[in-house]
């Protein structure tokens, strides 16, 4: 079951909002008694071909779980609007589990809501929750998408004819740098001479700059381009028009590039959404933090497109199989692109090594800078 209304409009009038909450609370309690009601709040449109869509895809699977009703609202800004939306989901619909799918929802909004509603579980797609700082009914989940970007790199390196690959990213923060480095290491697995020309746009969603970056990389001779921005839609469409192959991010962009799409790194939030809901239906306690990659079925790669060669598909499948067993991506010797040793020969960093959480470098082969 699912329901969606504009809760901000409903609660725009304080008087009307209070009356609505009072008159509808019985309905919410009745629904809650029958089903577990799960609320999901998106910062953007569900069909954005990116971040919000990665959550919406998971929600479609969640709706099929017996005993679960889903209520949703999209385009909710990182302001008090999100608190109003969550409050209405709780008071009007009887929600007992809330997923807030945007970084800026956590502090202060979800922290405050968790304090106000201690019998409701709140979960946020980060590892920001801390036992000594935050309410016990709040928590997080995180998909280590660098593992899927590594697979992207494997496929990209073997689908490129020139070995000149491009990468468009939003900001040089640790999470993004880790994805870029994993992609580079994957590309060199099958093509030791591959290079990655990097362009930062400066923010998560800047369609004009993203298009400019895609055109610049195409003009520089890159025949494959990957990315890490909120929604790669403009990037993938621009590359397709330029005859350049592409790798996606967050959700599937395969339909945007029927000729050049290779594969993409996707969050598999379905595992978390369904798992948490099923646990609550059974009366089980949720973990405050859940993290994982391929070994925990929390990431996936988009089905191969026409841009992926047969050799690339076989190698990418083998990489996925290895990741599921926990085989590390960062196996030495690895230097950064300034010549400093990152991982010595004979050593490796596990896929969840704490050192990777503070990545502040680009590995050898990446043409670009973090400053």
């Amino acid at each position: 079951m699912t329901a969606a209304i504009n809760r901000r409009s409903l609660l725009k009038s304080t008087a009307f909002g209070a009356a609505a909450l009072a008159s509808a609370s019985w309905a919410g309690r009745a629904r809650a008694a029958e089903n577990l009601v799960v609320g999901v709040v998106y910062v953007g449109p569900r069909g954005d071909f990116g971040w919000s869509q990665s959550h919406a895809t998971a929600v479609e699977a969640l709706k099929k779980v017996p005993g679960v009703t889903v209520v949703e609202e999209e385009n909710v800004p990182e302001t008090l609007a999100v608190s109003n939306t969550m409050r209405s989901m709780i008071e009007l619909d009887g929600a007992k589990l809330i997923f807030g799918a945007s970084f800026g929802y956590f502090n202060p909004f979800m922290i405050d809501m968790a304090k106000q509603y201690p019998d409701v579980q709140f979960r946020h797609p980060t590892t920001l929750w801390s036992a000594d700082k935050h309410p016990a009914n709040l928590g997080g989940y995180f998909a280590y998408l660098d593992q899927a970007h590594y697979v992207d790199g494997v496929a990209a390196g073997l689908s490129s004819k020139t070995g000149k690959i491009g990468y468009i990213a939003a900001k040089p923060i640790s999470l993004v740098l880790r994805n870029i480095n994993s992609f580079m290491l994957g590309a060199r697995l099958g093509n030791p001479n591959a290079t990655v020309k990097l362009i930062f746009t400066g923010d998560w969603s800047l369609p004009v700059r993203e298009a400019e970056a895609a055109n610049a990389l195409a003009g520089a001779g890159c025949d494959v381009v990957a990315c890490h921005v909120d929604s790669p839609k403009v990037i993938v469409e621009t590359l397709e028009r330029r005859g350049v192959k592409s790798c996606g991010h967050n959700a599937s962009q395969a339909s945007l590039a029927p000729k050049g799409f290779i594969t993409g790194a996707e969050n598999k939030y379905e595992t978390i959404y369904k798992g948490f809901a099923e646990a609550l239906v059974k009366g089980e306690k949720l973990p405050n933090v859940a993290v994982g990659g391929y070994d925990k079925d929390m990431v996936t790669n988009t089905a191969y497109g026409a841009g992926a060669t047969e050799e690339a598909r076989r190698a990418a499948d083998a990489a996925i199989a290895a990741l599921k067993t926990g085989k590390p991506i960062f196996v030495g010797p690895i230097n950064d692109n300034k010549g400093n040793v990152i991982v010595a020969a004979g050593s490796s960093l596990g896929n969840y090594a704490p050192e990777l959480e503070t990545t502040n470098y680009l590995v050898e082969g990446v043409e670009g800078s973090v400053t």
Side-chain angles (χ1 to χ4, degrees):
M1 296 178 63
T2 184
I5 59 175
N6 189 323
R7 297 162 196 283
R8 283 168 286 144
S9 296
L10 180 65
L11 297 176
K12 186 175 182 180
S13 164
T14 303
F16 179 76
L21 293 180
S23 64
S25 61
W26 67 270
R29 288 193 295 271
R31 279 189 291 273
E34 297 172 1
N35 286 328
L36 169 70
V37 180
V38 180
V40 185
V41 188
Y42 311 94
V43 72
R46 283 171 288 201
D48 68 350
F49 285 96
W51 172 253
S52 291
Q53 185 170 316
S54 69
H55 293 271
T57 299
V59 169
E60 290 307 305
L62 175 62
K63 292 174 184 177
K64 299 175 183 177
V65 176
V68 173
T69 297
V70 178
V71 292
E72 308 167 80
E73 186 163 355
E74 59 188 342
N75 296 314
V76 180
E78 296 171 334
T79 66
L80 281 173
V82 68
S83 298
N84 290 335
T85 292
M86 291 181 177
R87 182 175 292 106
S88 74
M89 287 176 169
I90 296 166
E91 296 288 349
L92 283 137
D93 300 294
K96 290 297 182 181
L97 172 61
I98 300 282
F99 290 107
S102 187
F103 184 86
Y105 289 170
F106 187 79
N107 188 4
F109 309 111
M110 291 183 72
I111 295 173
D112 291 344
M113 293 300 292
K115 292 176 180 177
Q116 293 178 40
Y117 296 95
D119 60 339
V120 177
Q121 294 293 317
F122 296 83
R123 292 298 183 272
H124 184 257
T126 65
T127 55
L128 293 174
W129 183 84
S130 175
D132 59 348
K133 294 180 181 178
H134 302 129
N137 59 322
L138 178 61
Y141 53 99
F142 187 76
Y144 278 91
L145 207 55
D146 62 311
Q147 295 181 25
H149 276 281
Y150 173 75
V151 176
D152 277 5
V154 172
L158 291 170
S159 296
S160 169
K161 294 181 179 179
T162 65
K164 295 179 66 174
I165 302 171
Y167 202 108
I168 301 168
K171 298 180 179 182
I173 62 174
S174 295
L175 171 66
V176 176
L177 297 175
R178 180 172 178 172
N179 286 344
I180 296 166
N181 290 339
S182 295
F183 178 88
M184 180 73 255
L185 294 173
R188 284 202 163 175
L189 184 68
N191 187 347
N193 297 317
T195 59
V196 171
K197 187 174 181 63
L198 174 63
I199 296 178
F200 287 110
T201 60
D203 216 334
W204 298 111
S205 182
L206 294 172
V208 173
R209 290 187 185 179
E210 290 162 12
E212 292 172 346
N215 280 316
L217 291 171
C222 297
D223 63 352
V224 175
V225 175
C227 59
H228 182 160
V229 297
D230 262 8
S231 172
K233 183 176 186 293
V234 169
I235 292 172
V236 173
E237 289 176 331
T238 302
L239 295 170
E240 182 78 350
R241 287 194 295 269
R242 294 294 301 268
V244 176
K245 294 181 179 182
S246 58
C247 290
H249 175 70
N250 274 333
S252 175
Q253 294 90 41
S255 63
L256 303 174
K259 295 180 180 179
F261 190 78
I262 298 174
T263 184
E266 293 191 43
N267 297 296
K268 194 176 180 183
Y269 291 132
E270 171 186 343
T271 299
I272 291 295
Y273 281 30
K274 289 175 62 178
F276 281 12
E278 289 167 350
L280 288 181
V281 168
K282 295 176 184 176
E284 298 173 356
K285 188 178 185 299
L286 299 186
N288 286 101
V289 178
V291 301
Y294 259 112
D295 57 329
K296 300 291 180 63
D297 198 29
M298 288 179 64
V299 300
T300 190
N301 279 81
T302 312
Y304 303 119
T309 65
E310 286 302 317
E311 184 182 14
R313 296 172 189 227
R314 289 192 298 270
D317 284 344
I320 291 170
L323 288 167
K324 287 181 177 180
T325 69
K327 183 177 179 180
I329 294 170
F330 287 76
V331 178
I334 298 174
N335 293 342
D336 68 16
N337 64 359
K338 296 180 180 179
N340 302 305
V341 175
I342 301 300
V343 183
S347 299
S348 64
L349 293 175
N351 291 333
Y352 305 109
E355 298 95 320
L356 294 175
E357 302 288 345
T358 55
T359 299
N360 60 359
Y361 55 85
L362 295 164
V363 297
E364 185 179 15
V366 179
E367 299 174 0
S369 172
V370 298
T371 57

